[in-house]
Amino acid sequence: MKPVLTSLAALALAVAAQAQPQLPGPNFPAFHTAGDIKTSCDASLKGARQRVALLEKRKVDGGWLAAYDDLTVYLEDHQGPTDFVLNVHPDKAVRDAAQECSLRWADFGSSLGQNEKLYRALQKAPKKDGIDAEFVRLASGQFEDSGVALPKPKRQRAKQILDKLTELDQQFNKNIRDAGTKVVFTEAELKGVPASVWEKAKRDDQGRIVLGVDYPSYVPVMRSAESAEARERMWRAKTNEGGQANLDLLAQIATLRAEYAKLFGYGNYVDFNLRRRMAKDGATATRFLDSVTGAVNEREKAELQELRANKAQHLGTPLEQTTVQRWDASFYSERVKREKFSVDQNAFRPYFPPQASLQFAMHIIEKLMGVKYERIANPLWHDEAQTYVVSDAASGKAIGQLYVDLYPREGKYNHAAVWPLRGSATRIARTPAAALVVNFDRNGLTLDEVETLLHELGHAVHVDLSNTRYAATAGTSVMHDFVEAPSQMLEDWVYDKKVLKLMQEVCAECKPVPDAMVEQATAAKHYGKGGLFGRQHLYASYDLALHQSAKPEPLPLWARMEGATPLGYVPGTMFPAGFAHIAGSYGAGYYGYLWSLVVAMDLRTAFAADKLDPAVGKRYRDGVLAQGAQKPAPELVKDFLGRESNSQAFFDYLKK
């Protein structure tokens, strides 16, 4: 006989069900098999073509812009999940099917971008205010960048190139995702590495420990392994991820981009790509990087001398005969930080359990920006993926949703990123959704990793607190050299003692981080700036040089440019094979990380007195984040700061 629930138990279940907040928008779709992807893809593409046909025939009146944005909404809801799931689904067959579908969507998108009827209608559409005017300006630029105004032969070639670039970028990422790179070590070789990193790892038939090159494995080995040979093997495996195949793909990508720019009359892809951004052209981006060079170079060289001295002392070798290798840098940097500042990043892990760290990061946003995150039970692409409802604290109204995927696994995107799955559209009460994907150690986070978490959450916040009229101008659709500023701004919050004390509000059993550790970590962070910014400068400069080259040769160019840095180039290594950013949307735009950081540090000045000031936070939420791309980025910054943005805070920081 089946047990009967008592009325009290039934009531408790009903109350529990009622207490769980509801998602304000549709849930992420379930794709269990490759067949699910195929069925969804066929139906969604058919629906998209039908909507384009109806829009082509629609009268160009006061409702046309909304009707055009309805197409953006449809694409987000039907194309977006496929583009995302190929990065996270645990089933390779599903990922592969999603990649095939994504290429079909790319073909649709490049055709849509060259639709003359829609482009002409967009130009005629009535605009009732500045928000409409900016929407038309941005949408027109997207059509024009797709080649809508080119002569027919050039237009056809532009479409071919766009479709091929999507295919090459996806293959580049797939090669990294599916590489399954493994490195084997004896226990002796892992001396110094926390046992939690390797004791539960798989063993090969000789009993050796098998580690992947995911960040929870890679970073501790590079920072802590006493064995230089072990560090070198791990470093080479990670640096060569993607292999020769990806070098070939990157050469094709850069060559096609150069050809694409020439179709529009530009001498190189950099000037073509930057003309609608804050930097405007390659010369401005290069001048900006040059302005950073002097401040960084001397600092980087001084830091390297300290690393050499530390290595010589550690190994008992004469200083003049001691050379710091690429695989030594993290290890000796950690030693110097421990000796000079008593800082060991691994020592932070017990204070920052992964789940509590996520709640802590969210709690910062709650305090600062007047929102509330509530986790709900909700099946997703993986058992460990989580769902949160984002609500406005004052009204209690659900305003967005957030999906989180915290831990590494085979075949998953192996860096840290946020996907803007849905944009806000107040005209139809559409709420936004974002997906945050990271790869953290289950044993806890270093302070560096907490900083990464807050950075990525910053992107998700930009999406979820967007409150724009049109989905097409929502959240992170801002100028690409501004998009990192809101997330980089928040990185500094983890070095604030008052902010860190919020951890106990979400995790009573978590021990507070001692103030002395925070002070030491802050001092150590200043110590490593030369190497950090030197590397970012190299990435950005390489990206611009590659995309300004008449005949792009990724590895020789990299070997030459990295060879000119204090640590030099290691023959046989191929870092560009794993440089997925520039194979994709950051191509000829990686300088944007440093450019955005300058803006981010200027934005931080408004929070100088109190990083948790809710009044400033609300002003920032409403004036910057909620606006998305409804206003150009420089205007948003000026409105918030009450002045034009400048580089003073950034250069002051470099001197510290």
Side-chain angles (χ1 to χ4, degrees), residues 55 58-69 117-129 132-133 135-137 139-140 470:
L55 192 56
R58 194 191 190 285
K59 183 181 177 186
V60 183
D61 56 12
W64 196 90
L65 290 181
Y68 178 63
D69 194 52
K117 289 180 183 175
L118 297 190
Y119 177 63
R120 285 197 299 268
L122 182 67
Q123 308 310 303
K124 296 177 196 165
K127 301 178 282 287
K128 65 185 176 194
D129 58 15
D132 280 7
F135 174 36
V136 169
R137 187 183 76 81
S140 298
Y470 298 111

Side-chain angles (χ1 to χ4, degrees), residues 293 296-308 322-326 329 530-535 537-538 559-570:
T293 303
V296 169
N297 276 4
E298 292 311 309
R299 192 163 189 141
E300 189 176 10
K301 287 173 185 169
E303 287 172 8
L304 184 57
Q305 288 306 108
E306 274 192 275
L307 298 187
R308 274 185 73 206
T322 305
T323 307
V324 176
Q325 303 291 347
R326 288 270 168 204
L532 172 70
F533 286 121
R535 200 69 180 160
H537 187 280
L538 172 63
R560 196 160 59 248
M561 293 183 73
E562 190 179 38
T565 65
L567 273 176
Y569 168 72
V570 179

Side-chain angles (χ1 to χ4, degrees), residues 611-628:
K611 284 195 163 56
L612 295 173
D613 186 331
V616 181
K618 180 75 165 64
R619 193 161 57 80
Y620 177 70
R621 173 185 164 183
D622 294 342
V624 179
L625 301 182
Q627 297 301 319

Side-chain angles (χ1 to χ4, degrees), residues 359-380:
Q359 291 169 268
F360 160 66
M362 290 174 169
H363 197 42
I364 293 172
I365 305 303
E366 290 177 332
K367 288 276 191 186
L368 187 61
M369 298 185 197
V371 296
K372 185 180 180 185
Y373 288 89
E374 291 175 273
R375 186 175 177 180
I376 64 169
N378 182 38
L380 289 169

Side-chain angles (χ1 to χ4, degrees), residues 257-461:
R257 284 173 174 161
E259 183 187 348
Y260 195 80
K262 286 186 174 66
L263 293 175
F264 293 82
Y266 283 81
N268 62 72
Y269 185 70
V270 175
D271 288 338
F272 169 79
N273 199 42
L274 268 55
R275 72 198 196 285
R276 302 189 198 278
R277 300 189 182 182
M278 293 176 83
K280 300 296 185 193
D281 55 39
T284 306
T286 301
R287 274 197 304 276
F288 164 69
L289 291 175
D290 287 347
S291 72
V292 177
T293 303
V296 169
N297 276 4
E298 292 311 309
R299 192 163 189 141
E300 189 176 10
K301 287 173 185 169
E303 287 172 8
L304 184 57
Q305 288 306 108
E306 274 192 275
L307 298 187
R308 274 185 73 206
N310 192 278
K311 182 176 180 180
Q313 175 261 320
H314 178 229
L315 299 181
T317 54
L319 180 61
E320 62 276 9
Q321 293 173 25
T322 305
T323 307
V324 176
Q325 303 291 347
R326 288 270 168 204
W327 50 88
D328 292 330
S330 293
F331 178 77
Y332 286 104
S333 183
E334 287 301 300
R335 276 180 56 90
V336 169
K337 286 175 184 177
R338 279 198 300 273
E339 291 170 12
K340 285 183 75 167
F341 312 106
S342 303
V343 169
D344 175 4
Q345 278 289 334
N346 283 317
F348 284 98
R349 293 194 191 279
Y351 299 96
F352 292 105
Q355 190 59 40
S357 299
L358 176 63
Q359 291 169 268
F360 160 66
M362 290 174 169
H363 197 42
I364 293 172
I365 305 303
E366 290 177 332
K367 288 276 191 186
L368 187 61
M369 298 185 197
V371 296
K372 185 180 180 185
Y373 288 89
E374 291 175 273
R375 186 175 177 180
I376 64 169
N378 182 38
L380 289 169
W381 55 87
H382 190 272
D383 290 346
E384 290 185 315
Q386 307 172 29
T387 306
Y388 292 84
V389 174
V390 189
S391 303
D392 176 66
S395 66
K397 181 184 176 187
I399 57 172
Q401 57 212 58
L402 174 64
Y403 304 109
V404 181
D405 196 336
L406 279 182
Y407 304 111
R409 60 179 174 271
E410 202 75 30
K412 178 187 165 186
Y413 178 84
N414 68 1
H415 291 279
V418 164
W419 276 259
L421 299 175
R422 288 163 54 88
S424 61
T426 56
R427 63 184 183 80
I428 51 172
R430 176 179 172 82
T431 55
L436 186 158
V437 178
V438 288
N439 292 274
F440 287 142
D441 189 324
R442 294 173 188 272
N443 298 295
L445 277 58
T446 64
L447 201 62
D448 285 350
E449 288 163 350
V450 179
E451 187 179 333
T452 297
L453 176 58
L454 206 53
H455 173 106
E456 296 305 338
L457 186 62
H459 286 307
V461 167

Side-chain angles (χ1 to χ4, degrees), residues 54 97 126 150 171 183 195 245 259 282 301 318 324 402 430 453 482 489 513 517 558 562 564 570 578 580 607 609-610:
L54 288 172
L150 292 174
Q171 188 59 46
V183 191
E259 183 187 348
K301 287 173 185 169
V324 176
L402 174 64
R430 176 179 172 82
L453 176 58
F482 176 70
M489 187 193 82
V513 183
M517 277 182 77
W558 175 258
E562 190 179 38
V570 179
F607 297 91
D610 180 2

